[in-house]
Amino acid sequence: MAELTTADIQTDYMAQVRSKRVMNMILLIVFVALMLGGFATANDRNAGGFWNGLPMLLDFPTDVISEAFERAHLLPGYFAKYLPSLTETINIAAASTLLGGILGLLMSLLVTRGLAPVPWMVGPLRRVLDVLRAVPEIVIALVLIFILGGGPVPAMIAIALHTVGALGKLFSEVNENASLKPIEGLESVGAGWIQRMWLGVIPQVAPNYLSYALLRFEINIRASAILGFVGAGGIGYDLRNTMSWGQGKFDEAAAIFLLLFFTIVVVDQTSSYLRNRLTHGSIKGEMHA
């Protein structure tokens, strides 16, 4: 077998590079064609057409900002007016995160290979988590609103179900990194499955559990605000009403935007701070370092 020369290797390499470039170009053309085709379809089905509405893109935010500036002295009163709705939104997110986190923790232990008490149920339960993650909260909320009527309860159930799917997946990945030595030690002295999980697994991964739960709480606040647009209560419902009213209510819509924005920023920063403390050590530990 003849040895390959440097020229042969370089020629073969350049041929592979050209082949890869051709394939990338073909994929790019297909991607652009799909994007243009999808955009054309969406534009045809859009009320009034996208291009016709493009010149008016900034009309709404301009009206909102101008009316908010004109009635800036009323904004503190609006903040107080819509604070109960904001509290309801936060309560929906908190309740759904707590409920979804507890159920997600249980599901994660049932679907983690090596920890599950019934190994043959791991696959089916994982598919259940996949379904819960795949179905958007707004779809579940619309179905529940049709059945239960409008209000915060359908929103809480919808967000909780989605949270079970999301946290169940994340928690199971955390569980897979847990050491099996404490579990084996507990099993050797006759501990049951619940005792092994409670004393052997959860103490190892609790900081990660809490970190993911806090992150999910941030997401659920945004989700609960969005679900208000479909009649699920909270500050999103008030925002929809003020925006639907039009001129004369834009200052209230601006107040709700600001209230929601500052709340999300505060929750985001607070939860990020707490997650860092949970995963990288306590403040007290830093002070003594």
Side-chain angles (χ1 to χ4, degrees):
M1 183 175 179
E3 293 184 0
L4 293 175
T5 64
T6 303
D8 293 332
I9 295 174
Q10 184 176 6
T11 301
D12 183 62
Y13 173 75
M14 294 305 298
Q16 292 182 18
V17 169
R18 287 192 295 270
S19 176
K20 185 177 180 180
R21 287 176 178 173
V22 171
M23 289 301 299
N24 289 339
M25 182 59 65
I26 292 173
L27 290 175
L28 179 61
I29 293 172
V30 171
F31 174 77
V32 171
L34 290 174
M35 286 291 294
L36 292 176
F39 180 82
T41 302
N43 185 55
D44 291 338
R45 296 183 179 182
N46 186 50
F50 174 79
W51 298 114
N52 295 331
L54 191 60
M56 299 179 286
L57 181 64
L58 298 178
D59 289 354
F60 175 74
T62 301
D63 292 339
V64 171
I65 293 173
S66 61
E67 192 167 317
F69 271 109
E70 291 174 3
R71 304 179 184 177
H73 61 285
L74 298 176
L75 291 181
Y78 293 147
F79 291 154
K81 176 182 178 181
Y82 292 110
L83 186 60
S85 297
L86 178 64
T87 303
E88 183 180 30
T89 295
I90 296 175
N91 287 339
I92 292 172
S96 58
T97 303
L98 179 61
L99 180 60
I102 293 173
L103 295 178
L105 189 155
L106 177 60
M107 288 288 289
S108 72
L109 295 173
L110 295 175
V111 302
T112 303
R113 295 179 178 87
L115 300 179
V118 186
W120 63 268
M121 284 293 294
V122 171
L125 290 178
R126 282 180 177 268
R127 300 296 77 77
V128 172
L129 293 178
D130 292 341
V131 171
L132 291 176
R133 287 197 310 275
V135 180
E137 299 101 323
I138 193 168
V139 175
I140 303 174
L142 287 171
V143 174
L144 293 175
I145 288 172
F146 178 77
I147 298 172
L148 304 176
V153 174
M156 186 194 70
I157 297 174
I159 297 174
L161 290 175
H162 199 273
T163 300
V164 171
L167 291 184
K169 171 67 173 178
L170 294 173
F171 288 174
S172 67
E173 293 177 353
V174 172
N175 295 340
E176 292 174 355
N177 297 322
S179 173
L180 297 178
K181 292 182 179 179
I183 304 170
E184 294 169 352
L186 289 167
E187 187 176 10
S188 66
V189 297
W193 181 80
I194 295 177
Q195 292 173 316
R196 296 198 301 271
M197 297 302 102
W198 183 254
L199 300 175
V201 177
I202 293 178
Q204 297 185 59
V205 295
N208 297 94
Y209 280 174
L210 293 174
S211 177
Y212 282 130
L214 287 170
L215 178 62
R216 191 67 203 181
F217 177 58
E218 299 175 30
I219 298 171
N220 287 346
I221 289 180
R222 300 181 184 93
S224 60
I226 293 171
L227 292 184
F229 274 80
V230 296
I235 200 168
Y237 181 74
D238 293 326
L239 181 59
R240 186 193 69 173
N241 290 338
T242 55
M243 291 176 63
S244 300
W245 185 275
Q247 292 286 347
K249 286 283 189 178
F250 282 159
D251 53 335
E252 296 189 36
I256 294 174
F257 275 127
L258 291 174
L259 196 61
L260 188 58
F261 172 76
F262 286 126
T263 300
I264 291 176
V265 168
V266 170
V267 171
D268 177 72
Q269 294 300 314
T270 303
S271 61
S272 297
Y273 177 80
L274 293 175
R275 289 201 307 274
N276 288 333
R277 299 282 71 76
L278 287 168
T279 55
H280 298 101
S282 65
I283 302 175
K284 186 176 179 180
E286 288 182 356
M287 293 175 63
H288 290 160

PDB file of all heavy atoms in Angstrom, residues 89 92-93 96-97 136-138 141 155-156 158-160 162-163 216-230 232-233 235-236 260 264:
ATOM      1  N   THR A  89     -50.911  37.718  40.803  1.00  0.00           N
ATOM      2  CA  THR A  89     -50.025  37.097  39.823  1.00  0.00           C
ATOM      3  C   THR A  89     -48.868  36.383  40.506  1.00  0.00           C
ATOM      4  O   THR A  89     -48.520  35.246  40.156  1.00  0.00           O
ATOM      5  CB  THR A  89     -49.486  38.159  38.845  1.00  0.00           C
ATOM      6  OG1 THR A  89     -50.582  38.690  38.084  1.00  0.00           O
ATOM      7  CG2 THR A  89     -48.460  37.566  37.898  1.00  0.00           C
ATOM      8  N   ILE A  92     -50.112  33.242  42.214  1.00  0.00           N
ATOM      9  CA  ILE A  92     -50.323  32.151  41.246  1.00  0.00           C
ATOM     10  C   ILE A  92     -48.999  31.474  40.932  1.00  0.00           C
ATOM     11  O   ILE A  92     -48.887  30.237  40.922  1.00  0.00           O
ATOM     12  CB  ILE A  92     -50.971  32.700  39.959  1.00  0.00           C
ATOM     13  CG1 ILE A  92     -52.403  33.162  40.228  1.00  0.00           C
ATOM     14  CG2 ILE A  92     -50.953  31.643  38.855  1.00  0.00           C
ATOM     15  CD1 ILE A  92     -53.042  33.894  39.057  1.00  0.00           C
ATOM     16  N   ALA A  93     -47.959  32.295  40.684  1.00  0.00           N
ATOM     17  CA  ALA A  93     -46.645  31.741  40.361  1.00  0.00           C
ATOM     18  C   ALA A  93     -46.064  30.960  41.533  1.00  0.00           C
ATOM     19  O   ALA A  93     -45.496  29.877  41.358  1.00  0.00           O
ATOM     20  CB  ALA A  93     -45.694  32.869  39.945  1.00  0.00           C
ATOM     21  N   SER A  96     -48.105  27.630  42.108  1.00  0.00           N
ATOM     22  CA  SER A  96     -47.848  26.660  41.043  1.00  0.00           C
ATOM     23  C   SER A  96     -46.420  26.129  41.112  1.00  0.00           C
ATOM     24  O   SER A  96     -46.177  24.947  40.839  1.00  0.00           O
ATOM     25  CB  SER A  96     -48.109  27.296  39.677  1.00  0.00           C
ATOM     26  OG  SER A  96     -47.296  28.431  39.489  1.00  0.00           O
ATOM     27  N   THR A  97     -45.466  26.987  41.507  1.00  0.00           N
ATOM     28  CA  THR A  97     -44.078  26.529  41.643  1.00  0.00           C
ATOM     29  C   THR A  97     -43.949  25.546  42.796  1.00  0.00           C
ATOM     30  O   THR A  97     -43.253  24.521  42.681  1.00  0.00           O
ATOM     31  CB  THR A  97     -43.134  27.723  41.864  1.00  0.00           C
ATOM     32  OG1 THR A  97     -43.280  28.658  40.783  1.00  0.00           O
ATOM     33  CG2 THR A  97     -41.691  27.260  41.940  1.00  0.00           C
ATOM     34  N   PRO A 136     -47.886  23.837  25.917  1.00  0.00           N
ATOM     35  CA  PRO A 136     -47.728  25.164  26.523  1.00  0.00           C
ATOM     36  C   PRO A 136     -48.775  25.425  27.608  1.00  0.00           C
ATOM     37  O   PRO A 136     -49.888  24.907  27.562  1.00  0.00           O
ATOM     38  CB  PRO A 136     -47.922  26.123  25.336  1.00  0.00           C
ATOM     39  CG  PRO A 136     -47.699  25.293  24.117  1.00  0.00           C
ATOM     40  CD  PRO A 136     -48.156  23.911  24.464  1.00  0.00           C
ATOM     41  N   GLU A 137     -48.380  26.255  28.573  1.00  0.00           N
ATOM     42  CA  GLU A 137     -49.303  26.587  29.664  1.00  0.00           C
ATOM     43  C   GLU A 137     -50.590  27.216  29.162  1.00  0.00           C
ATOM     44  O   GLU A 137     -51.669  26.949  29.692  1.00  0.00           O
ATOM     45  CB  GLU A 137     -48.631  27.546  30.655  1.00  0.00           C
ATOM     46  CG  GLU A 137     -47.388  27.008  31.324  1.00  0.00           C
ATOM     47  CD  GLU A 137     -46.134  27.546  30.692  1.00  0.00           C
ATOM     48  OE1 GLU A 137     -46.136  27.709  29.443  1.00  0.00           O
ATOM     49  OE2 GLU A 137     -45.145  27.789  31.415  1.00  0.00           O
ATOM     50  N   ILE A 138     -50.464  28.047  28.110  1.00  0.00           N
ATOM     51  CA  ILE A 138     -51.642  28.767  27.641  1.00  0.00           C
ATOM     52  C   ILE A 138     -52.682  27.821  27.049  1.00  0.00           C
ATOM     53  O   ILE A 138     -53.888  28.054  27.167  1.00  0.00           O
ATOM     54  CB  ILE A 138     -51.237  29.856  26.614  1.00  0.00           C
ATOM     55  CG1 ILE A 138     -52.399  30.819  26.375  1.00  0.00           C
ATOM     56  CG2 ILE A 138     -50.754  29.232  25.308  1.00  0.00           C
ATOM     57  CD1 ILE A 138     -52.008  32.052  25.612  1.00  0.00           C
ATOM     58  N   ALA A 141     -54.342  26.206  30.026  1.00  0.00           N
ATOM     59  CA  ALA A 141     -55.181  27.202  30.697  1.00  0.00           C
ATOM     60  C   ALA A 141     -56.477  27.440  29.925  1.00  0.00           C
ATOM     61  O   ALA A 141     -57.545  27.569  30.525  1.00  0.00           O
ATOM     62  CB  ALA A 141     -54.409  28.514  30.859  1.00  0.00           C
ATOM     63  N   ALA A 155     -55.157  29.031  35.868  1.00  0.00           N
ATOM     64  CA  ALA A 155     -53.772  29.446  35.610  1.00  0.00           C
ATOM     65  C   ALA A 155     -52.808  28.688  36.510  1.00  0.00           C
ATOM     66  O   ALA A 155     -51.753  28.224  36.057  1.00  0.00           O
ATOM     67  CB  ALA A 155     -53.625  30.941  35.829  1.00  0.00           C
ATOM     68  N   MET A 156     -53.169  28.561  37.783  1.00  0.00           N
ATOM     69  CA  MET A 156     -52.280  27.865  38.723  1.00  0.00           C
ATOM     70  C   MET A 156     -52.102  26.399  38.316  1.00  0.00           C
ATOM     71  O   MET A 156     -50.988  25.875  38.318  1.00  0.00           O
ATOM     72  CB  MET A 156     -52.848  27.947  40.132  1.00  0.00           C
ATOM     73  CG  MET A 156     -51.930  27.371  41.190  1.00  0.00           C
ATOM     74  SD  MET A 156     -52.748  27.096  42.756  1.00  0.00           S
ATOM     75  CE  MET A 156     -53.827  25.719  42.334  1.00  0.00           C
ATOM     76  N   ALA A 158     -52.530  25.059  35.303  1.00  0.00           N
ATOM     77  CA  ALA A 158     -51.804  24.972  34.032  1.00  0.00           C
ATOM     78  C   ALA A 158     -50.299  25.157  34.241  1.00  0.00           C
ATOM     79  O   ALA A 158     -49.482  24.393  33.711  1.00  0.00           O
ATOM     80  CB  ALA A 158     -52.343  26.016  33.059  1.00  0.00           C
ATOM     81  N   ILE A 159     -49.919  26.174  35.018  1.00  0.00           N
ATOM     82  CA  ILE A 159     -48.499  26.432  35.251  1.00  0.00           C
ATOM     83  C   ILE A 159     -47.882  25.315  36.087  1.00  0.00           C
ATOM     84  O   ILE A 159     -46.730  24.914  35.863  1.00  0.00           O
ATOM     85  CB  ILE A 159     -48.313  27.803  35.928  1.00  0.00           C
ATOM     86  CG1 ILE A 159     -48.815  28.918  35.004  1.00  0.00           C
ATOM     87  CG2 ILE A 159     -46.851  28.037  36.272  1.00  0.00           C
ATOM     88  CD1 ILE A 159     -48.808  30.287  35.645  1.00  0.00           C
ATOM     89  N   ALA A 160     -48.639  24.805  37.060  1.00  0.00           N
ATOM     90  CA  ALA A 160     -48.125  23.720  37.898  1.00  0.00           C
ATOM     91  C   ALA A 160     -47.837  22.468  37.073  1.00  0.00           C
ATOM     92  O   ALA A 160     -46.812  21.804  37.267  1.00  0.00           O
ATOM     93  CB  ALA A 160     -49.112  23.410  39.014  1.00  0.00           C
ATOM     94  N   HIS A 162     -47.097  22.287  33.868  1.00  0.00           N
ATOM     95  CA  HIS A 162     -45.901  22.520  33.062  1.00  0.00           C
ATOM     96  C   HIS A 162     -44.654  22.497  33.936  1.00  0.00           C
ATOM     97  O   HIS A 162     -43.586  22.012  33.515  1.00  0.00           O
ATOM     98  CB  HIS A 162     -46.014  23.862  32.341  1.00  0.00           C
ATOM     99  CG  HIS A 162     -45.087  23.999  31.173  1.00  0.00           C
ATOM    100  ND1 HIS A 162     -43.796  24.460  31.316  1.00  0.00           N
ATOM    101  CD2 HIS A 162     -45.235  23.723  29.851  1.00  0.00           C
ATOM    102  CE1 HIS A 162     -43.200  24.485  30.130  1.00  0.00           C
ATOM    103  NE2 HIS A 162     -44.043  24.035  29.233  1.00  0.00           N
ATOM    104  N   THR A 163     -44.767  23.002  35.164  1.00  0.00           N
ATOM    105  CA  THR A 163     -43.645  23.002  36.087  1.00  0.00           C
ATOM    106  C   THR A 163     -43.239  21.584  36.473  1.00  0.00           C
ATOM    107  O   THR A 163     -42.053  21.290  36.627  1.00  0.00           O
ATOM    108  CB  THR A 163     -43.998  23.812  37.348  1.00  0.00           C
ATOM    109  OG1 THR A 163     -44.309  25.161  36.972  1.00  0.00           O
ATOM    110  CG2 THR A 163     -42.844  23.834  38.338  1.00  0.00           C
ATOM    111  N   ARG A 216     -37.339  28.514  38.157  1.00  0.00           N
ATOM    112  CA  ARG A 216     -38.673  28.242  37.615  1.00  0.00           C
ATOM    113  C   ARG A 216     -39.695  29.248  38.138  1.00  0.00           C
ATOM    114  O   ARG A 216     -40.648  29.595  37.430  1.00  0.00           O
ATOM    115  CB  ARG A 216     -39.094  26.814  37.996  1.00  0.00           C
ATOM    116  CG  ARG A 216     -40.340  26.337  37.272  1.00  0.00           C
ATOM    117  CD  ARG A 216     -40.073  26.187  35.789  1.00  0.00           C
ATOM    118  NE  ARG A 216     -41.296  26.267  35.025  1.00  0.00           N
ATOM    119  CZ  ARG A 216     -41.367  26.150  33.705  1.00  0.00           C
ATOM    120  NH1 ARG A 216     -40.262  25.960  33.012  1.00  0.00           N
ATOM    121  NH2 ARG A 216     -42.506  26.237  33.070  1.00  0.00           N
ATOM    122  N   PHE A 217     -39.514  29.725  39.360  1.00  0.00           N
ATOM    123  CA  PHE A 217     -40.413  30.737  39.922  1.00  0.00           C
ATOM    124  C   PHE A 217     -40.380  32.014  39.080  1.00  0.00           C
ATOM    125  O   PHE A 217     -41.422  32.629  38.824  1.00  0.00           O
ATOM    126  CB  PHE A 217     -40.021  31.029  41.367  1.00  0.00           C
ATOM    127  CG  PHE A 217     -40.843  32.102  42.028  1.00  0.00           C
ATOM    128  CD1 PHE A 217     -42.220  31.976  42.115  1.00  0.00           C
ATOM    129  CD2 PHE A 217     -40.238  33.224  42.555  1.00  0.00           C
ATOM    130  CE1 PHE A 217     -42.984  32.967  42.723  1.00  0.00           C
ATOM    131  CE2 PHE A 217     -40.983  34.212  43.161  1.00  0.00           C
ATOM    132  CZ  PHE A 217     -42.362  34.087  43.245  1.00  0.00           C
ATOM    133  N   GLU A 218     -39.177  32.413  38.647  1.00  0.00           N
ATOM    134  CA  GLU A 218     -39.077  33.570  37.756  1.00  0.00           C
ATOM    135  C   GLU A 218     -39.896  33.353  36.484  1.00  0.00           C
ATOM    136  O   GLU A 218     -40.660  34.223  36.054  1.00  0.00           O
ATOM    137  CB  GLU A 218     -37.618  33.805  37.348  1.00  0.00           C
ATOM    138  CG  GLU A 218     -36.666  34.108  38.458  1.00  0.00           C
ATOM    139  CD  GLU A 218     -35.242  34.186  37.926  1.00  0.00           C
ATOM    140  OE1 GLU A 218     -35.066  34.572  36.754  1.00  0.00           O
ATOM    141  OE2 GLU A 218     -34.304  33.844  38.667  1.00  0.00           O
ATOM    142  N   ILE A 219     -39.714  32.194  35.881  1.00  0.00           N
ATOM    143  CA  ILE A 219     -40.417  31.886  34.632  1.00  0.00           C
ATOM    144  C   ILE A 219     -41.915  31.872  34.856  1.00  0.00           C
ATOM    145  O   ILE A 219     -42.699  32.353  34.019  1.00  0.00           O
ATOM    146  CB  ILE A 219     -39.932  30.532  34.077  1.00  0.00           C
ATOM    147  CG1 ILE A 219     -38.437  30.595  33.755  1.00  0.00           C
ATOM    148  CG2 ILE A 219     -40.723  30.125  32.842  1.00  0.00           C
ATOM    149  CD1 ILE A 219     -37.821  29.262  33.400  1.00  0.00           C
ATOM    150  N   ASN A 220     -42.356  31.344  35.987  1.00  0.00           N
ATOM    151  CA  ASN A 220     -43.784  31.222  36.255  1.00  0.00           C
ATOM    152  C   ASN A 220     -44.450  32.573  36.494  1.00  0.00           C
ATOM    153  O   ASN A 220     -45.644  32.733  36.225  1.00  0.00           O
ATOM    154  CB  ASN A 220     -44.020  30.302  37.455  1.00  0.00           C
ATOM    155  CG  ASN A 220     -43.757  28.847  37.122  1.00  0.00           C
ATOM    156  OD1 ASN A 220     -43.646  28.486  35.960  1.00  0.00           O
ATOM    157  ND2 ASN A 220     -43.648  28.011  38.132  1.00  0.00           N
ATOM    158  N   ILE A 221     -43.701  33.540  37.010  1.00  0.00           N
ATOM    159  CA  ILE A 221     -44.268  34.888  37.149  1.00  0.00           C
ATOM    160  C   ILE A 221     -44.602  35.454  35.769  1.00  0.00           C
ATOM    161  O   ILE A 221     -45.680  36.021  35.556  1.00  0.00           O
ATOM    162  CB  ILE A 221     -43.292  35.808  37.901  1.00  0.00           C
ATOM    163  CG1 ILE A 221     -43.227  35.414  39.374  1.00  0.00           C
ATOM    164  CG2 ILE A 221     -43.733  37.273  37.782  1.00  0.00           C
ATOM    165  CD1 ILE A 221     -42.292  36.268  40.196  1.00  0.00           C
ATOM    166  N   ARG A 222     -43.691  35.286  34.836  1.00  0.00           N
ATOM    167  CA  ARG A 222     -43.955  35.760  33.473  1.00  0.00           C
ATOM    168  C   ARG A 222     -45.131  34.996  32.862  1.00  0.00           C
ATOM    169  O   ARG A 222     -45.995  35.589  32.203  1.00  0.00           O
ATOM    170  CB  ARG A 222     -42.703  35.577  32.613  1.00  0.00           C
ATOM    171  CG  ARG A 222     -41.490  36.330  33.124  1.00  0.00           C
ATOM    172  CD  ARG A 222     -40.295  36.125  32.198  1.00  0.00           C
ATOM    173  NE  ARG A 222     -39.093  36.760  32.712  1.00  0.00           N
ATOM    174  CZ  ARG A 222     -38.182  36.174  33.452  1.00  0.00           C
ATOM    175  NH1 ARG A 222     -38.327  34.900  33.754  1.00  0.00           N
ATOM    176  NH2 ARG A 222     -37.123  36.814  33.884  1.00  0.00           N
ATOM    177  N   ALA A 223     -45.156  33.684  33.083  1.00  0.00           N
ATOM    178  CA  ALA A 223     -46.235  32.873  32.521  1.00  0.00           C
ATOM    179  C   ALA A 223     -47.581  33.259  33.103  1.00  0.00           C
ATOM    180  O   ALA A 223     -48.582  33.344  32.380  1.00  0.00           O
ATOM    181  CB  ALA A 223     -45.953  31.390  32.772  1.00  0.00           C
ATOM    182  N   SER A 224     -47.646  33.515  34.407  1.00  0.00           N
ATOM    183  CA  SER A 224     -48.921  33.881  35.030  1.00  0.00           C
ATOM    184  C   SER A 224     -49.408  35.235  34.543  1.00  0.00           C
ATOM    185  O   SER A 224     -50.620  35.458  34.399  1.00  0.00           O
ATOM    186  CB  SER A 224     -48.783  33.887  36.556  1.00  0.00           C
ATOM    187  OG  SER A 224     -47.800  34.826  36.974  1.00  0.00           O
ATOM    188  N   ALA A 225     -48.472  36.148  34.253  1.00  0.00           N
ATOM    189  CA  ALA A 225     -48.866  37.445  33.695  1.00  0.00           C
ATOM    190  C   ALA A 225     -49.423  37.279  32.290  1.00  0.00           C
ATOM    191  O   ALA A 225     -50.417  37.919  31.913  1.00  0.00           O
ATOM    192  CB  ALA A 225     -47.678  38.400  33.691  1.00  0.00           C
ATOM    193  N   ILE A 226     -48.799  36.410  31.492  1.00  0.00           N
ATOM    194  CA  ILE A 226     -49.275  36.173  30.129  1.00  0.00           C
ATOM    195  C   ILE A 226     -50.639  35.503  30.128  1.00  0.00           C
ATOM    196  O   ILE A 226     -51.525  35.849  29.329  1.00  0.00           O
ATOM    197  CB  ILE A 226     -48.245  35.310  29.361  1.00  0.00           C
ATOM    198  CG1 ILE A 226     -46.953  36.106  29.146  1.00  0.00           C
ATOM    199  CG2 ILE A 226     -48.807  34.851  28.019  1.00  0.00           C
ATOM    200  CD1 ILE A 226     -45.818  35.281  28.590  1.00  0.00           C
ATOM    201  N   LEU A 227     -50.843  34.557  31.041  1.00  0.00           N
ATOM    202  CA  LEU A 227     -52.121  33.846  31.083  1.00  0.00           C
ATOM    203  C   LEU A 227     -53.278  34.771  31.456  1.00  0.00           C
ATOM    204  O   LEU A 227     -54.432  34.456  31.188  1.00  0.00           O
ATOM    205  CB  LEU A 227     -52.048  32.681  32.070  1.00  0.00           C
ATOM    206  CG  LEU A 227     -51.134  31.521  31.676  1.00  0.00           C
ATOM    207  CD1 LEU A 227     -51.232  30.391  32.685  1.00  0.00           C
ATOM    208  CD2 LEU A 227     -51.484  30.998  30.290  1.00  0.00           C
ATOM    209  N   GLY A 228     -52.971  35.896  32.086  1.00  0.00           N
ATOM    210  CA  GLY A 228     -54.021  36.859  32.376  1.00  0.00           C
ATOM    211  C   GLY A 228     -54.699  37.380  31.129  1.00  0.00           C
ATOM    212  O   GLY A 228     -55.874  37.790  31.154  1.00  0.00           O
ATOM    213  N   PHE A 229     -54.000  37.359  29.995  1.00  0.00           N
ATOM    214  CA  PHE A 229     -54.570  37.831  28.736  1.00  0.00           C
ATOM    215  C   PHE A 229     -55.701  36.933  28.242  1.00  0.00           C
ATOM    216  O   PHE A 229     -56.514  37.359  27.433  1.00  0.00           O
ATOM    217  CB  PHE A 229     -53.477  37.913  27.667  1.00  0.00           C
ATOM    218  CG  PHE A 229     -52.731  39.210  27.676  1.00  0.00           C
ATOM    219  CD1 PHE A 229     -51.727  39.434  28.601  1.00  0.00           C
ATOM    220  CD2 PHE A 229     -53.019  40.205  26.771  1.00  0.00           C
ATOM    221  CE1 PHE A 229     -51.031  40.635  28.621  1.00  0.00           C
ATOM    222  CE2 PHE A 229     -52.336  41.405  26.774  1.00  0.00           C
ATOM    223  CZ  PHE A 229     -51.328  41.620  27.708  1.00  0.00           C
ATOM    224  N   VAL A 230     -55.734  35.685  28.700  1.00  0.00           N
ATOM    225  CA  VAL A 230     -56.801  34.772  28.259  1.00  0.00           C
ATOM    226  C   VAL A 230     -57.852  34.591  29.346  1.00  0.00           C
ATOM    227  O   VAL A 230     -58.638  33.644  29.312  1.00  0.00           O
ATOM    228  CB  VAL A 230     -56.210  33.405  27.839  1.00  0.00           C
ATOM    229  CG1 VAL A 230     -55.307  33.563  26.638  1.00  0.00           C
ATOM    230  CG2 VAL A 230     -55.477  32.735  28.987  1.00  0.00           C
ATOM    231  N   ALA A 232     -57.244  34.436  32.829  1.00  0.00           N
ATOM    232  CA  ALA A 232     -56.839  33.631  33.974  1.00  0.00           C
ATOM    233  C   ALA A 232     -56.528  34.471  35.204  1.00  0.00           C
ATOM    234  O   ALA A 232     -55.916  33.996  36.146  1.00  0.00           O
ATOM    235  CB  ALA A 232     -55.625  32.780  33.618  1.00  0.00           C
ATOM    236  N   GLY A 233     -56.945  35.732  35.212  1.00  0.00           N
ATOM    237  CA  GLY A 233     -56.764  36.575  36.384  1.00  0.00           C
ATOM    238  C   GLY A 233     -55.378  37.178  36.462  1.00  0.00           C
ATOM    239  O   GLY A 233     -54.518  36.981  35.602  1.00  0.00           O
ATOM    240  N   ILE A 235     -52.491  40.365  36.986  1.00  0.00           N
ATOM    241  CA  ILE A 235     -52.237  41.670  36.385  1.00  0.00           C
ATOM    242  C   ILE A 235     -52.308  41.616  34.865  1.00  0.00           C
ATOM    243  O   ILE A 235     -52.553  42.637  34.208  1.00  0.00           O
ATOM    244  CB  ILE A 235     -50.869  42.195  36.855  1.00  0.00           C
ATOM    245  CG1 ILE A 235     -50.795  43.712  36.650  1.00  0.00           C
ATOM    246  CG2 ILE A 235     -49.728  41.491  36.134  1.00  0.00           C
ATOM    247  CD1 ILE A 235     -49.613  44.349  37.349  1.00  0.00           C
ATOM    248  N   GLY A 236     -52.107  40.450  34.287  1.00  0.00           N
ATOM    249  CA  GLY A 236     -52.230  40.327  32.839  1.00  0.00           C
ATOM    250  C   GLY A 236     -53.646  40.610  32.356  1.00  0.00           C
ATOM    251  O   GLY A 236     -53.838  41.164  31.265  1.00  0.00           O
ATOM    252  N   LEU A 260     -44.993  45.618  36.378  1.00  0.00           N
ATOM    253  CA  LEU A 260     -44.617  44.250  36.048  1.00  0.00           C
ATOM    254  C   LEU A 260     -43.122  44.152  35.745  1.00  0.00           C
ATOM    255  O   LEU A 260     -42.449  43.197  36.174  1.00  0.00           O
ATOM    256  CB  LEU A 260     -45.427  43.774  34.849  1.00  0.00           C
ATOM    257  CG  LEU A 260     -45.322  42.298  34.461  1.00  0.00           C
ATOM    258  CD1 LEU A 260     -45.727  41.408  35.621  1.00  0.00           C
ATOM    259  CD2 LEU A 260     -46.186  42.004  33.242  1.00  0.00           C
ATOM    260  N   ILE A 264     -40.461  41.864  37.910  1.00  0.00           N
ATOM    261  CA  ILE A 264     -39.678  40.789  37.308  1.00  0.00           C
ATOM    262  C   ILE A 264     -38.189  41.021  37.521  1.00  0.00           C
ATOM    263  O   ILE A 264     -37.427  40.078  37.801  1.00  0.00           O
ATOM    264  CB  ILE A 264     -40.002  40.669  35.808  1.00  0.00           C
ATOM    265  CG1 ILE A 264     -41.431  40.138  35.629  1.00  0.00           C
ATOM    266  CG2 ILE A 264     -39.006  39.759  35.101  1.00  0.00           C
ATOM    267  CD1 ILE A 264     -41.891  40.080  34.196  1.00  0.00           C
TER     268      ILE A 264
END
